[in-house]
Each structure stands twice: as C-alpha cells, then as structure tokens.
Amino acid sequence: MYQKLLEEIYAEIQPEIGKGKVADYIPALKNADPKQFGISVCNINQEVTSLGDAQQRFSIQSISKVFTLTMAFQVLGDKLWERVGKEPSGNPFNSLIQLERENGIPRNPFINAGALVITDILISLLDNPKQDLLSFLKELCNCSNIHFDPVIAQSEKEHGFTNAALVNYMKSHGNIKNDVEEVLDLYFHQCSILMNCEQLAKSFLFLANHGVIPHSNQRVLTRSQAKRLNAIMLSCGLYDQAGDFAYLVGLPGKSGVAGGISAIMPEQMSITVWSPALNRHGNSHAGMKALELFTTKTGISIF
Ligand code: GLU
C-alpha cells in the first residue's frame, strides 16, 4: 500500500543513513552496522509494507518500556502514578540529577529510572514476569519467535553501572520494593528482546486501535488508557528530543538506543523504523529523518 512512498523515502534519506554514532556504552551493541536501515508500516487492517532491513532483528531496548508500562497500567490503572510521574524530563534518559532533586520519584516511565520502577512493579505483580512479557509480545505481534538476547542482557549487566545507581537510589527512597539485582536483571532482559521492524509495527497496532489488538480483538487497555499512554509517548517517548519529534514527525512514538523507533497514528497505522546510528539525543538519525519524511509526504499527523 505504501510501497512507492517508502521507496521514495528510502532514496531520499540515503545520504543520512550511517550518520551519527552507534551506541557503544553497551559493548554488545557497538558492532552494529550503521548502514542498516529498515522500515515497516502496518495499517489498522494489519497489512504490512516494508523496505530495507525490516526483517533484521535488533534489541528493542527502550521500546520495551511501552510494553512493560502497558502491562503495569492494565493492572494498576492510575494508582501507577503514585510511584512515577508523567512529565517530560528534559534530561538525558539515564540522568541521576533530577531523581535526586525529586526524591526518588522518576519524571516518567520512559526514562530509565521510571522504567526501572515499572519493572519493579511487574516483579511484584507477576509470578513469572520474563515469560509473561514474552508471551504478551507474542500475542501482540501474532508471532512465536520472540526471545531475549542473553549476550546483550549480560553485556548490559556488566556495564550497567548507571542503571544500578538509579535503582539503588530509588531503593533508598522506598520506591523500589524488590531486590535491586532482580529488578536490574528483568530490566536488562526486557531491553535485550530481539524483534524486527515488522514485528514491532504489528505490536504497536493496539495503541492505534484504542487499546484493542486488531488480529484477536482482545482489549489490552481501556480506550482512555490507550489515549493516555499515547499522550505519554508523545511528550516523553524520545528522551530529551520529544519536542522535536512532535514538531517534525507529529506522532506519538518511542525510541531505543539500538536505533529503533516505533510510532502510531490513531485509527490508521503503526510505523517502525530502524537504523543503528544515533543522533546526540540517542535517537536513530536516519529513523527520525524517515519518519519526518513519511508524515510530511502523507500529511499524516495527530495535529
Ligand atoms: N538498555 C538501555 C539502558 O538502560 C536502554 C536505553 C534506551 O534504549 O534508552 O541504558
């Protein structure tokens, strides 16, 4: 359906692919080929159009924060906001400074501190959070091959000193209820989940469909919760570049440091792009450009 348009975008962004820097603070990510680029658009009828490396799997990293937030929000509803805020942080995703000023209550669930609180909540709520998370993703994308990458999870564990600092700091304020090692282990595993653009585009479709998974008709979030989760993606989903993303792309979205960005247009579609080289905010450089071109050329925007 969007084949011609994607080809046009792909041709136009060629000079941008590879610009920026692959994340190297997690050693297992640093060997990614910066020249890779994939894009998938999935419309509300589940028709997928893809181009480039859309079948290549990569670690979803912070995009996982949307799925864990959904699982916690589903159960706790607005009670969730007692432990994490919903304001943009205006700070880097792993910043410690704000957390100290705000007494261990993270600004939002999409910065690392906030995601760690959500992870802690899932450990309290679920008997087997790792398996439940994978099962949830399999259901969302209607596919069975979703796994953790043990090498990436281990690499994050060995170098995750800032995340360890964040979780310990929140524990000292009583905002982490479980063992810090257990929280970090689940967090590093959720970041290591391997998916491709097509799988992610399908998985985000429930957020474009008022909280209902289109292929199974199963409700994941209430209509109001889906609206609210999209609002948080719009204001907080791209680290300290969320304002730019709203301005240039005009859709709610979430990025990850392996170079993936997933975005949705309510009642119409979900789009995932992936290209590993990041801009200085930690978002895929070519991915941002491709989404900007997509919404500019189609005129699609929530505004
Ligand atoms: N695993 C990464 C970290 O915690 C995720 C960061 C991201 O994608 O924003 O540093």
Side-chain angles (χ1 to χ4, degrees):
M1 189 178 174
Y2 287 105
Q3 195 67 37
K4 226 174 117 29
L5 177 67
L6 295 191
E7 279 165 18
E8 205 178 297
I9 292 171
Y10 193 49
E12 272 182 55
I13 59 153
Q14 282 306 314
E16 306 297 334
I17 299 177
K19 274 193 194 160
K21 199 168 166 291
V22 172
D24 56 4
Y25 76 101
I26 302 168
L29 297 186
K30 73 173 178 216
N31 293 327
D33 174 3
K35 290 278 181 197
Q36 293 175 105
F37 175 90
I39 183 164
S40 287
V41 182
C42 184
N43 70 15
I44 210 79
N45 301 320
Q46 303 147 65
E47 291 154 347
V48 184
T49 312
S50 296
L51 201 99
D53 301 308
Q55 311 294 339
Q56 175 73 39
R57 296 198 298 163
F58 56 91
S59 59
I60 65 173
Q61 295 295 332
S62 279
I63 300 175
S64 66
K65 295 170 183 173
V66 175
F67 304 124
T68 51
L69 175 62
T70 300
M71 290 169 79
F73 201 21
Q74 216 176 31
V75 180
L76 292 189
D78 283 342
K79 247 186 105 48
L80 198 67
W81 310 123
E82 289 169 11
R83 291 181 56 189
V84 58
K86 39 186 153 40
E87 287 295 337
S89 75
N91 278 293
F93 66 96
N94 56 2
S95 170
L96 276 153
I97 297 169
Q98 201 166 47
L99 197 57
E100 187 174 3
R101 275 203 309 262
E102 298 179 0
N103 302 317
I105 306 290
R107 270 289 171 101
N108 68 66
F110 291 154
I111 51 173
N112 284 13
L116 286 159
V117 168
I118 301 293
T119 303
D120 181 56
I121 289 172
L122 290 184
I123 293 172
S124 301
L125 290 175
L126 306 168
D127 289 336
N128 203 341
K130 278 187 192 163
Q131 283 322 311
D132 289 355
L133 175 58
L134 291 182
S135 305
F136 179 51
L137 283 172
K138 289 175 189 173
E139 207 171 288
L140 286 181
C141 75
N142 200 16
C143 51
S144 54
N145 61 337
I146 309 273
H147 308 281
F148 299 115
D149 182 324
V151 174
I152 294 179
Q154 183 61 25
S155 181
E156 294 213 34
K157 189 174 191 156
E158 284 166 12
H159 296 85
F161 306 113
T162 308
N163 286 321
L166 291 168
V167 86
N168 277 293
Y169 188 73
M170 292 189 290
K171 180 91 180 170
S172 78
H173 277 274
N175 200 15
I176 291 290
K177 312 293 179 194
N178 296 284
D179 175 51
V180 295
E181 290 306 324
E182 203 182 338
V183 176
L184 287 168
D185 180 64
L186 177 58
Y187 175 75
F188 294 140
H189 275 83
Q190 75 181 58
C191 291
S192 83
I193 291 172
L194 297 177
M195 290 174 80
N196 62 32
C197 291
E198 284 200 11
Q199 290 172 322
L200 276 169
K202 286 184 193 160
S203 301
F204 267 70
L205 218 47
F206 78 97
L207 287 168
N209 194 36
H210 300 299
V212 174
I213 305 173
H215 71 84
S216 62
N217 242 346
Q218 196 200 321
R219 180 165 288 287
V220 173
L221 293 176
T222 66
R223 195 180 168 109
S224 157
Q225 285 174 330
K227 178 188 75 178
R228 291 185 168 152
L229 205 147
N230 286 336
I232 300 171
M233 282 209 290
L234 183 77
S235 54
C236 313
L238 276 95
Y239 313 126
D240 51 348
Q241 203 183 8
D244 252 1
F245 192 75
Y247 183 86
L248 297 171
V249 178
L251 300 176
K254 182 73 201 88
S255 58
V257 291
I261 308 176
S262 293
I264 64 107
M265 175 65 198
E267 297 180 359
Q268 290 192 34
M269 69 180 75
S270 134
I271 315 170
T272 295
V273 281
W274 170 62
S275 195
L278 309 178
N279 64 22
R280 67 188 172 86
H281 301 280
N283 297 314
S284 170
H285 173 77
M288 289 276 295
K289 295 275 178 207
L291 288 171
E292 181 186 344
L293 278 174
F294 184 87
T295 53
T296 303
K297 284 174 184 290
T298 54
I300 286 171
S301 159
I302 62 159
F303 298 109

Short mmCIF file of all heavy atoms in Angstrom, two decimals, residues 83 117 119-125 167 171 175-183:
data_model
loop_
_atom_site.label_atom_id
_atom_site.label_comp_id
_atom_site.label_asym_id
_atom_site.label_seq_id
_atom_site.Cartn_x
_atom_site.Cartn_y
_atom_site.Cartn_z
N ARG A 83 3.90 6.33 41.96
CA ARG A 83 5.33 5.98 42.03
C ARG A 83 6.18 6.51 40.88
O ARG A 83 7.40 6.39 40.90
CB ARG A 83 5.47 4.47 42.15
CG ARG A 83 4.97 3.98 43.50
CD ARG A 83 5.11 2.50 43.66
NE ARG A 83 6.47 2.05 43.47
CZ ARG A 83 6.82 0.77 43.38
NH1 ARG A 83 5.89 -0.17 43.47
NH2 ARG A 83 8.06 0.44 43.23
N VAL A 117 11.20 1.49 37.83
CA VAL A 117 10.07 1.40 38.78
C VAL A 117 8.98 0.49 38.20
O VAL A 117 8.42 -0.35 38.91
CB VAL A 117 9.50 2.81 39.11
CG1 VAL A 117 8.17 2.72 39.84
CG2 VAL A 117 10.50 3.60 39.93
N THR A 119 9.38 -1.89 36.07
CA THR A 119 9.91 -3.26 36.13
C THR A 119 9.72 -3.83 37.54
O THR A 119 9.30 -4.98 37.72
CB THR A 119 11.41 -3.26 35.74
OG1 THR A 119 11.52 -2.68 34.44
CG2 THR A 119 11.99 -4.66 35.71
N ASP A 120 10.01 -3.01 38.53
CA ASP A 120 9.83 -3.42 39.93
C ASP A 120 8.37 -3.77 40.20
O ASP A 120 8.05 -4.77 40.86
CB ASP A 120 10.30 -2.26 40.83
CG ASP A 120 10.18 -2.59 42.31
OD1 ASP A 120 10.76 -3.60 42.74
OD2 ASP A 120 9.48 -1.83 43.03
N ILE A 121 7.47 -2.96 39.65
CA ILE A 121 6.03 -3.21 39.84
C ILE A 121 5.65 -4.56 39.21
O ILE A 121 4.90 -5.35 39.81
CB ILE A 121 5.21 -2.05 39.23
CG1 ILE A 121 5.37 -0.79 40.09
CG2 ILE A 121 3.73 -2.42 39.05
CD1 ILE A 121 4.76 0.47 39.52
N LEU A 122 6.19 -4.84 38.03
CA LEU A 122 5.85 -6.12 37.37
C LEU A 122 6.35 -7.31 38.18
O LEU A 122 5.68 -8.34 38.26
CB LEU A 122 6.43 -6.17 35.95
CG LEU A 122 5.78 -5.23 34.92
CD1 LEU A 122 6.38 -5.45 33.54
CD2 LEU A 122 4.26 -5.43 34.87
N ILE A 123 7.51 -7.14 38.81
CA ILE A 123 8.01 -8.24 39.65
C ILE A 123 7.05 -8.49 40.82
O ILE A 123 6.77 -9.63 41.19
CB ILE A 123 9.45 -7.93 40.16
CG1 ILE A 123 10.41 -7.93 38.97
CG2 ILE A 123 9.89 -8.93 41.23
CD1 ILE A 123 11.81 -7.46 39.29
N SER A 124 6.51 -7.41 41.37
CA SER A 124 5.54 -7.56 42.48
C SER A 124 4.24 -8.18 42.00
O SER A 124 3.61 -8.94 42.73
CB SER A 124 5.23 -6.20 43.11
OG SER A 124 6.40 -5.61 43.61
N LEU A 125 3.85 -7.85 40.76
CA LEU A 125 2.53 -8.29 40.29
C LEU A 125 2.51 -9.70 39.71
O LEU A 125 1.50 -10.39 39.76
CB LEU A 125 2.02 -7.34 39.18
CG LEU A 125 1.61 -5.92 39.56
CD1 LEU A 125 1.25 -5.14 38.30
CD2 LEU A 125 0.42 -5.94 40.52
N VAL A 167 18.64 2.57 40.40
CA VAL A 167 17.77 1.67 41.13
C VAL A 167 18.11 1.68 42.63
O VAL A 167 17.22 1.69 43.49
CB VAL A 167 17.76 0.26 40.49
CG1 VAL A 167 18.86 -0.61 40.97
CG2 VAL A 167 16.44 -0.44 40.66
N LYS A 171 15.72 2.80 45.63
CA LYS A 171 15.51 1.86 46.74
C LYS A 171 15.70 2.60 48.07
O LYS A 171 14.94 2.41 49.02
CB LYS A 171 16.51 0.70 46.61
CG LYS A 171 16.42 -0.35 47.69
CD LYS A 171 15.47 -1.46 47.30
CE LYS A 171 15.36 -2.50 48.40
NZ LYS A 171 14.28 -3.45 48.16
N ASN A 175 11.21 3.59 46.80
CA ASN A 175 10.42 3.49 45.57
C ASN A 175 10.77 2.25 44.74
O ASN A 175 10.31 2.12 43.61
CB ASN A 175 10.56 4.77 44.73
CG ASN A 175 9.42 4.93 43.74
OD1 ASN A 175 8.38 4.27 43.84
ND2 ASN A 175 9.60 5.77 42.73
N ILE A 176 11.59 1.38 45.29
CA ILE A 176 11.83 0.06 44.69
C ILE A 176 11.54 -0.94 45.80
O ILE A 176 12.10 -0.85 46.90
CB ILE A 176 13.30 -0.07 44.19
CG1 ILE A 176 13.55 0.84 42.99
CG2 ILE A 176 13.67 -1.53 43.89
CD1 ILE A 176 12.89 0.45 41.68
N LYS A 177 10.62 -1.88 45.54
CA LYS A 177 10.16 -2.78 46.62
C LYS A 177 10.90 -4.12 46.60
O LYS A 177 10.95 -4.82 47.60
CB LYS A 177 8.65 -3.06 46.48
CG LYS A 177 7.79 -1.82 46.27
CD LYS A 177 7.77 -0.92 47.48
CE LYS A 177 6.93 0.32 47.22
NZ LYS A 177 7.13 1.38 48.22
N ASN A 178 11.43 -4.50 45.43
CA ASN A 178 12.06 -5.81 45.31
C ASN A 178 13.58 -5.68 45.36
O ASN A 178 14.12 -4.58 45.43
CB ASN A 178 11.60 -6.47 44.00
CG ASN A 178 10.10 -6.75 44.02
OD1 ASN A 178 9.65 -7.68 44.66
ND2 ASN A 178 9.32 -5.90 43.36
N ASP A 179 14.23 -6.83 45.31
CA ASP A 179 15.67 -6.87 45.33
C ASP A 179 16.25 -6.13 44.10
O ASP A 179 15.80 -6.37 42.97
CB ASP A 179 16.06 -8.36 45.29
CG ASP A 179 17.55 -8.54 45.19
OD1 ASP A 179 18.27 -7.94 45.98
OD2 ASP A 179 17.98 -9.26 44.25
N VAL A 180 17.23 -5.27 44.31
CA VAL A 180 17.73 -4.45 43.19
C VAL A 180 18.31 -5.32 42.07
O VAL A 180 18.16 -5.00 40.88
CB VAL A 180 18.77 -3.38 43.62
CG1 VAL A 180 18.15 -2.33 44.52
CG2 VAL A 180 19.98 -3.97 44.27
N GLU A 181 18.96 -6.41 42.44
CA GLU A 181 19.55 -7.28 41.40
C GLU A 181 18.45 -7.89 40.52
O GLU A 181 18.61 -8.06 39.32
CB GLU A 181 20.40 -8.40 42.02
CG GLU A 181 21.70 -7.90 42.64
CD GLU A 181 22.55 -7.07 41.67
OE1 GLU A 181 22.58 -7.40 40.47
OE2 GLU A 181 23.17 -6.08 42.12
N GLU A 182 17.35 -8.25 41.17
CA GLU A 182 16.24 -8.85 40.43
C GLU A 182 15.62 -7.82 39.46
O GLU A 182 15.28 -8.14 38.32
CB GLU A 182 15.19 -9.33 41.44
CG GLU A 182 14.28 -10.41 40.90
CD GLU A 182 13.22 -10.84 41.93
OE1 GLU A 182 13.42 -10.62 43.16
OE2 GLU A 182 12.19 -11.34 41.49
N VAL A 183 15.50 -6.58 39.94
CA VAL A 183 14.93 -5.52 39.09
C VAL A 183 15.84 -5.29 37.89
O VAL A 183 15.39 -5.23 36.74
CB VAL A 183 14.73 -4.21 39.90
CG1 VAL A 183 14.23 -3.08 39.00
CG2 VAL A 183 13.77 -4.43 41.06
#
